[in-house]
Amino acid sequence: QLQLVESGGGLVQPRGSLRLSCATSGRTLGYYAIGWFRQAPGKEREGVSCISSSDGTTYYEDSVKGRFTISKDNAKNTVYLQMNSLKPEDTAVYYCAATRSAYGNSCLRQWLYIYWGQGTQVTVSS
């Protein structure tokens, strides 16, 4: 079992920044592929960024490339999503998730994930 708890969301102005955190408990974080996903009102949940379980390569949804950075600290069992240059269209509930096997860019495919956090709201508005 793996428990994930997101934090760090909130209200931020366009062009601002937030750092989301996902604290985990259970087996060492390095065992898993990790992903960040988001769901905006009226839209399906989509992959935002992930770290593959094969070689630790990071992947990003096109709209966040160059603005968001995923990272993890295995010693702290914590995953991060640094979000810069935020836009109103980034407004969504953000979820972290983990799975034991997601190779390459398949780590952006949400159906592969077993463990999910409850989400944290990010609102980008003036």
Side-chain angles (χ1 to χ4, degrees), residues 30-34 51-57 99-104 107:
Y31 182 79
Y32 299 96
I34 301 294
I51 305 173
S52 72
S53 58
S54 56
D55 60 3
T57 301
T99 192
R100 292 189 179 184
S101 59
Y103 304 110
C107 66

Side-chain angles (χ1 to χ4, degrees), residues 43-85:
K43 298 179 64 177
E44 294 185 350
R45 188 167 58 192
E46 65 176 350
V48 176
S49 184
C50 60
I51 305 173
S52 72
S53 58
S54 56
D55 60 3
T57 301
T58 59
Y59 297 89
Y60 297 90
E61 192 271 330
D62 286 344
S63 70
V64 308
K65 288 180 180 177
R67 299 189 298 120
F68 291 10
T69 303
I70 189 172
S71 63
K72 64 177 181 176
D73 187 332
N74 290 340
K76 296 181 179 179
N77 293 319
T78 302
V79 184
Y80 304 97
L81 185 67
Q82 179 66 46
M83 309 165 66
N84 299 326
S85 302

Side-chain angles (χ1 to χ4, degrees), residues 82-108:
Q82 179 66 46
M83 309 165 66
N84 299 326
S85 302
L86 284 162
K87 304 174 181 179
E89 51 263 44
D90 295 318
T91 295
V93 177
Y94 284 72
Y95 302 88
C96 63
T99 192
R100 292 189 179 184
S101 59
Y103 304 110
N105 63 6
S106 67
C107 66
L108 284 172

